[in-house]
Every structure is written in C-alpha cells, then in structure tokens.
C-alpha cells in the first residue's frame, strides 16, 4: 500500500495470503503470539506510522481473523482500490471488518451486496488457499513479503533493500552477499 503510493512506477501484483496458514506451514508462531514480541511489534507499528506521517490506528482487537477481508479482496479482483480501502478501514479507521457494524456499510458504500454469499463462494475460498499454499511453498514466512525476480523481501524494513535489488539484480552476487547463501549453521 505504502510502496505503491511512493513508487507509482513499480508494478505490483498483490496476492492475498492467510498469514496463519504460512505460519502453520513453517511450524512458526506469529509475533502477536509471543507477548513481549506482540507489544514490541505494536509499538514499532505505531512509531513507524507516526515517524512517516502514515495515518494509523490499531483495529479494535489484534490479532483478528483476516479471512473475511482477504476473501473480500479476492472477490473484488485484488484491485489497488479495494486493497487500499480495506487497509484504510482496518489500519487507519481501526475497524474490524468481521464486525457487521463496520462490514455492512463498508461493502454497501462500494456496491457490494450479499457479502456473505460473495466471500463464501468456493472459487474465492479456493483462491485464498492456493495463494497461501503457493506462497508458503515459495518460502514466504511473513507478511508483507515482496518477491522480486525470485528473491523474497519480508517486512517494511526490507522495502529499501528490495528497491535497491530491483535497481541492481546482481547485487547479491558480490560484495560479500554471495557468501551468505552457503554460510554454515553450527546449531544444527
């Protein structure tokens, strides 16, 4: 969302995935499942948004169940408009789209009727599952992840590195980077 605003020359293909599915695939806990990491992550998000002038408000509860907003996104073709609207509703307005008090007006304002029917269509469910499985199989372990020419960049703190890699796809083949792919792990 932020990347598309700051770099309109970059073409993104956003793919909604279920973070919990990726965590399960890798047998890993999410940051919100570790109390001290949860608070640290929340503080970082709040700080990062304030520092960068990004409107931000945590939703009513977190973690929340993202299935409905993700399916809604898929059902609407994953357009930049619907993605931006969903992000704004959750992360700027602080609304949980699982709550009918917020979901119904959100959808009505966008001409989306029969919301439950829309998000419950089998092809929408299957697409979210395929997206998640494909991402996990490709090595995605967190969100957001950006894939650039087969390389994965995870987290907002990796955006600058992803942009540099996009400008110089050979950067990981020199300058000490090439050694990192085969660095031994003595803890195994």
């Amino acid at each position: 969302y932020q990347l598309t605003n700051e770099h309109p020359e970059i073409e993104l293909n956003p793919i909604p995935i279920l973070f919990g599915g990726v965590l399960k695939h890798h047998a890993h806990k999410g940051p919100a499942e570790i109390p001290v990491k949860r608070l640290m992550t929340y503080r970082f998000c709040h700080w990062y948004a304030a520092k960068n002038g990004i409107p931000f408000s945590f939703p009513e509860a977190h973690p929340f169940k993202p299935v409905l907003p993700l399916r809604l996104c898929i059902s609407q073709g994953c357009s930049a408009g619907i993605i931006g609207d969903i992000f704004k509703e959750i992360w700027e307005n602080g609304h949980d789209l699982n709550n009918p008090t917020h979901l119904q007006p959100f959808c009505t304002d966008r001409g989306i009727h029969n919301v439950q029917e829309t998000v419950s269509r089998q092809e929408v469910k299957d697409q979210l599952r395929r997206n998640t499985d494909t991402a996990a199989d490709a090595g995605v372990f967190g969100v957001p992840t950006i894939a650039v020419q087969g390389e994965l960049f995870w987290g907002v703190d990796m955006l600058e590195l992803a942009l540099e890699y996009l400008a110089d796809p050979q950067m990981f083949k020199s300058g000490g980077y090439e050694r990192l792919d085969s660095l031994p792990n003595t803890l195994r």
Side-chain angles (χ1 to χ4, degrees):
Y1 183 59
Q2 178 187 353
L3 184 62
T4 58
N5 290 337
E6 293 178 5
H7 297 278
E9 75 280 6
I10 296 175
E11 183 180 327
L12 292 180
N13 178 25
I15 302 170
I17 66 169
L18 192 57
F19 182 41
V22 170
L23 292 175
K24 183 176 180 181
H25 176 88
H26 294 291
H28 195 286
K29 287 185 175 184
E33 295 177 87
I34 304 166
V36 69
K37 192 171 187 178
R38 178 181 190 227
L39 180 58
M40 191 176 293
T41 301
Y42 293 177
R43 286 176 176 168
F44 175 79
C45 292
H46 189 80
W47 169 83
Y48 183 87
K51 180 176 172 51
N52 290 284
I54 300 168
F56 181 78
S57 178
F58 262 97
E60 298 156 15
H62 193 275
F64 58 88
K65 295 179 181 175
V67 173
L68 194 147
L70 291 170
R71 287 184 187 169
L72 183 61
C73 183
I74 290 169
S75 76
Q76 301 304 301
C78 301
S79 70
I82 195 68
I83 292 169
D85 287 352
I86 289 170
F87 264 74
K88 183 176 181 178
E89 189 69 12
I90 295 170
W91 298 108
E92 287 182 25
N93 298 337
H95 294 157
D96 180 355
L97 285 177
N98 291 294
N99 182 334
T101 304
H102 302 302
L103 178 65
Q104 201 55 54
F106 176 85
C107 290
T108 299
D109 290 349
R110 286 151 189 83
I112 303 167
H113 306 288
N114 302 320
V115 180
Q116 289 307 321
E117 181 182 316
T118 299
V119 299
S120 297
R121 291 193 329 251
Q122 194 59 48
E123 64 267 20
V124 171
K125 292 178 179 182
D126 291 346
Q127 186 64 56
L128 181 56
R129 183 164 295 137
R130 274 193 306 275
N131 291 352
T132 302
D133 291 346
T134 300
D137 290 344
V140 171
F141 60 88
V143 292
T145 295
I146 297 174
V148 179
Q149 300 171 1
E151 294 289 341
L152 300 177
F153 299 88
W154 168 69
V156 70
D157 51 336
M158 294 288 275
L159 285 177
E160 190 174 343
L161 178 59
L163 291 170
E164 287 189 27
Y165 181 80
L166 187 60
D168 179 14
Q170 300 302 309
M171 73 182 287
F172 292 158
K173 295 185 175 164
S174 63
Y177 287 107
E178 72 283 357
R179 179 175 170 259
L180 302 177
D181 285 344
S182 59
L183 196 63
N185 180 349
T186 60
L187 298 178
R188 292 186 189 171

